[in-house]
Amino acid sequence: MKKVFFCCCPSLSPSRETASFYLLSVLIALYMLAGAAIFSSLERPAELKAHQLWETRLRDFSHEHNISCEELKSLLRHYEEARTAGIRTKQGRALWDIPGAFYFVGTVVSTIGFGVTAPSTVTGKVLLVFYGLLGCSATILFFNLFLERVITLLSLLIFWCHRRTGHSGLEGRASDVNKNEEWKPSVYQVTLILFVVVLLVACGAASLYSTMEGWTYMESLYFCFVAFSTVGFGDFVSGQREHHENTWAYQVANCLLMLLGVCCTYSLFNTISVIIKQGLNWMLRTMACINCQRCSLQGCKVG
């Protein structure tokens, strides 16, 4: 339903959906600016300290081994290029065997994109464009179908719990049946259940990753959020150690946890977006009421 806001100029006022879009754009921009300020204040000092430490180590190494800094930096640039092909100072598992390539395409179609593995050939880069176009589209469809089934299952579960907690007396049965037919689960209830499910999956996965990868539990939880939300920074990547080539059970568990975590987190994001939209509509109604009251006061003064 579209309603007209701003009673002073109804012909120029936008529809509710358009107003929600503009308001959300402004709020996202403000949210990003606030996040940039916070993370800059937290991370910028560490970045400057790391730069100073690196320059000191570079000068010391150059002086100790009688190598010019330019030659050393040239070697490091070549190494940065070699990292794309999977070259590491510490030996890890093969990146482009069948299991490694399967892990790579999984990060592509799920849009995680850790960045640890990337095609280095021109043919591979061109193929990736078309492969990702179809694969990402199909995966988004899969996520949407998964979301529909999760919402249906949770709605039935909540409805069953609602009926179980209802009155069972003979006098109130007719009214209870009518209430149950009209009753629908709240988006807040569904969001809460999804949040608990995502939390349980993340905590269980973090226990596995902290054991297999040697990370702390907090690092494992951080990795779970980055991976399940498909942000995929690449600072932590699971299953890349050399001894993981022979742990097939862990590789399978890792893929299943990734799939389950991404699906559940995608569903949670969708329900949260519904709540955000409800908040935007409330803000717009509040602004419209304030504006109408102001117009009424102005009309009274003119009269």
Side-chain angles (χ1 to χ4, degrees), residues 57-75:
R57 288 177 175 176
L58 198 64
R59 287 195 301 268
D60 292 344
F61 186 88
S62 175
H63 178 73
E64 181 179 352
H65 296 276
N66 196 22
I67 303 175
S68 67
C69 287
E70 292 301 323
E71 292 177 347
L72 185 56
K73 289 181 179 179
S74 176
L75 176 63

Side-chain angles (χ1 to χ4, degrees), residues 174-214:
S175 60
D176 289 341
V177 170
N178 294 330
K179 289 181 180 179
N180 286 331
E181 290 178 352
E182 297 176 358
W183 184 85
K184 292 182 180 180
S186 169
V187 66
Y188 302 101
Q189 295 172 322
V190 175
T191 302
L192 179 60
I193 294 176
L194 282 173
F195 176 77
V196 172
V197 171
V198 170
L199 190 62
L200 291 175
V201 172
C203 290
S207 299
L208 176 65
Y209 291 135
S210 61
T211 301
M212 298 299 296
E213 302 290 345

